[in-house]
Amino acid sequence: MRKIILYIAMSLDGKIADENGNVNWLVMIFMIQVLHMIILFKTLIQSSWDIIHIIKL
């Protein structure tokens, strides 16, 4: 049997859509998460490059 992983974002009042039925706020949260991952990845790459540079010295 396969496992299903479900990720659902909802607001504090337990709703997924806003009062007009829009889910635009989910896009904003997703973009913030993507930006955070890009910053984290850039930091890891820079740290790795610094370590390689120190080892070469």
Side-chain angles (χ1 to χ4, degrees), residues 3-57:
K3 292 183 180 180
I4 297 175
I5 299 173
L6 177 63
Y7 174 80
I8 298 177
M10 66 180 179
S11 61
L12 293 176
D13 63 359
K15 308 278 191 224
I16 294 176
D18 65 10
E19 60 274 356
N20 297 323
N22 295 323
V23 291
N24 296 339
W25 65 275
L26 290 174
V27 175
M28 180 61 88
I29 290 173
F30 176 74
M31 294 303 292
I32 290 170
Q33 290 174 342
V34 168
L35 181 60
H36 184 271
M37 292 302 294
I38 290 170
I39 292 169
L40 178 63
F41 185 71
K42 181 182 176 200
T43 303
L44 289 173
I45 295 295
Q46 185 62 45
S47 297
S48 299
W49 181 253
D50 291 343
I51 291 170
I52 291 171
H53 183 69
I54 290 170
I55 292 173
K56 286 184 176 181
L57 294 177

